[in-house]
Amino acid sequence: MDRQNNRMTAVVCHGPEDYRVEQVDRPTAGINEMVIRISACGICASDCKCWSGAKMFWGENPWVKAPVIPGHEFFGVVDELGPDAAEHFGVQAGDTIIAEQIVPCDKCRYCRGGQYWMCEVHNIFGFQRKVADGGMSEYMLIPKTARVHTIPKSMALADAAIIEPLSCAIHVVNRAEMQLDDVVVIAGAGPIGLMMVQVAHLRTPKKLVVIDMVEERRDLALKFGADVVIDPANENADAIVKSLTGGYGCDVYIEATGSPGGVTQGLELIRKLGRFVEFSVFGKETSVDWSIIGDRKELDIRGAHLGPYCYPIAIDLLDRKLVTSDGIVTHDYAFEDWDEAIKVANSLDSIKVLLKSASAIS
């Protein structure tokens, strides 16, 4: 950052496949606000879909309000505290902190009811300009309604960088209400899927099955506690799951592929009266035969959005070494290398890609 001119380096989203590395104004903190110096910011699958121009982001009622600095998988060090901000957030200058990805309005029925992650206004860091610029920049403003958590200074950078996706994974596993005698299938072993595997393993279901097309990710799933892994391109997932369940199907199916095929696959693999948890952000509409859900199987269909009330749990699990980023964080790039970073993140050559300031690159 050029402190003399109060400018900083940032990735700025102007539209689909139009992300530019620019010099922009460094934010300043107002009352009950703070500015953090970004330590790292991950590139999420939703960032890749947004960059690619997915309809859900750029459709008739666009979620993205460009130009905006993207990035919601960030953490950093408190650099500037506005008036009353230290008491408001319970932090001090120099603390390492993370803010949850949503910026609640604190006024709608959901926020007032404690369901802030479903805020009707629903500003998410990295998608709405000015209101919620994200973490792909040297510095970032944390507004007064943000939910902030302190990270132990002893935590490794790569572990701290996965707190946000790990929180989402914990919320998904909580929504599944796994029981000790459940056969659980997790479809999709991307970054969050692999964190779901680790969290689900801590719940000790009867069998934990992971489906993914990439061998490296299947191997990591086994390392993280999966009992069985399936390559759907070369193995019969239905036959394998039925063989583990007396022909009935899995008790819990978690969809984390981001592919429409993951949904239809799950509806076939799951038993009658099973629990289907949908997590993925899809790049296009997904269609299924809804008679399977009602008339044929009477399924319990549950959504899972963000990681409400799960950040302290994620930080604790990482601090106690019960969950790890080892093998998940595979690449890091400087902000200036955005073009290469998004190319790698949007491929099967990586699992989790981080952006950092040039001085922080290992």
Side-chain angles (χ1 to χ4, degrees), residues 157-159 161-162 191 195 220 324-332 350-354 356:
L157 183 145
D159 282 348
I162 68 165
M195 292 177 220
L220 277 172
T324 180
S325 63
D326 289 348
I328 295 176
V329 175
T330 55
H331 296 75
D332 58 36
S350 67
I351 298 179
K352 174 56 65 181
V353 175
L354 303 183
K356 307 176 187 177

Side-chain angles (χ1 to χ4, degrees), residues 18 85 89 106 120-121 141 144 156 177 242 269 285 287 291 349:
D18 185 9
F89 287 117
D106 280 354
E120 187 69 11
V121 179
L141 178 70
K144 65 181 181 180
E177 295 186 7
K242 294 289 176 60
L269 294 185
E285 293 182 358
S287 298
S291 60
D349 295 330

Side-chain angles (χ1 to χ4, degrees), residues 12-336:
V12 181
C13 163
H14 291 273
E17 297 192 34
D18 185 9
Y19 286 49
R20 311 170 199 169
V21 179
E22 299 178 353
Q23 291 296 304
V24 302
D25 290 338
R26 178 194 183 278
T28 57
I31 297 172
N32 287 337
E33 296 178 339
M34 64 179 164
V35 173
I36 63 172
R37 184 178 71 254
I38 294 296
S39 299
C41 183
I43 300 177
C44 177
S46 63
D47 292 315
C48 293
K49 288 183 171 69
C50 183
W51 174 84
S52 299
K55 183 178 179 181
M56 71 163 295
F57 295 103
W58 302 101
E60 294 179 2
N61 297 300
W63 186 6
V64 181
K65 304 295 190 297
V68 62
I69 298 171
H72 57 272
E73 293 185 1
F74 59 83
F75 77 99
V77 177
V78 177
D79 186 74
E80 176 193 347
L81 288 160
D84 301 325
E87 182 178 2
H88 176 70
F89 287 117
V91 301
Q92 299 178 353
D95 284 351
T96 302
I97 68 98
I98 185 170
E100 298 190 27
Q101 65 271 65
I102 192 166
V103 185
C105 72
D106 280 354
K107 296 178 181 179
C108 71
R109 66 178 291 179
Y110 302 108
C111 288
R112 287 180 175 273
Q115 299 150 330
Y116 66 91
W117 71 100
M118 297 306 298
C119 172
E120 187 69 11
V121 179
H122 220 75
N123 285 320
I124 298 284
F125 282 117
F127 293 104
Q128 289 83 30
R129 67 173 177 270
K130 304 302 181 185
V131 177
D133 274 327
M136 294 186 187
S137 58
E138 291 182 276
Y139 291 83
M140 178 181 175
L141 178 70
I142 306 298
K144 65 181 181 180
T145 60
R147 275 26 178 198
V148 169
H149 307 276
T150 302
I151 301 171
K153 290 189 179 297
S154 59
M155 187 173 292
L157 183 145
D159 282 348
I162 68 165
I163 291 171
E164 185 275 334
L166 176 57
S167 299
C168 294
I170 293 167
H171 182 50
V172 170
V173 172
N174 285 343
R175 291 285 284 158
E177 295 186 7
M178 293 178 189
Q179 306 300 310
L180 294 175
D181 60 347
D182 280 342
V183 173
V184 176
V185 172
I186 297 175
I192 297 182
L194 288 168
M195 292 177 220
M196 291 177 192
V197 174
Q198 296 184 67
V199 177
H201 177 62
L202 294 175
R203 292 288 184 91
T204 63
K206 182 178 180 180
K207 289 289 183 183
L208 181 55
V209 181
V210 176
I211 302 175
D212 198 274
M213 297 182 69
V214 181
E215 183 178 9
E216 176 189 7
R217 299 182 181 196
R218 295 195 302 273
D219 289 344
L220 277 172
L222 288 170
K223 174 184 174 183
F224 292 150
D227 299 296
V228 178
V229 294
I230 300 172
D231 175 3
N234 297 297
E235 296 178 284
N236 187 327
D238 184 68
I240 294 172
V241 171
K242 294 289 176 60
S243 73
L244 297 171
T245 59
Y248 288 100
C250 61
D251 304 283
V252 174
Y253 181 89
I254 295 174
E255 199 292 305
T257 67
S259 168
V263 177
T264 52
Q265 170 184 257
L267 293 176
E268 292 299 323
L269 294 185
I270 198 167
R271 67 167 172 84
K272 295 176 181 179
L273 303 175
R275 297 183 299 285
F276 187 119
V277 184
E278 179 53 60
F279 173 75
S280 289
V281 174
F282 295 99
K284 57 184 177 180
E285 293 182 358
T286 299
S287 298
V288 299
D289 178 1
W290 275 67
S291 60
I292 298 174
I293 298 167
D295 184 59
R296 283 179 52 192
K297 292 190 175 182
E298 196 174 322
L299 298 176
D300 189 350
I301 304 293
R302 303 180 180 190
H305 180 56
L306 307 185
Y309 301 108
C310 294
Y311 281 65
I313 301 170
I315 292 168
D316 178 64
L317 291 178
L318 288 163
D319 195 39
R320 290 193 287 151
K321 310 300 183 185
L322 293 175
V323 175
T324 180
S325 63
D326 289 348
I328 295 176
V329 175
T330 55
H331 296 75
D332 58 36
Y333 292 92
F335 296 122
E336 291 84 352

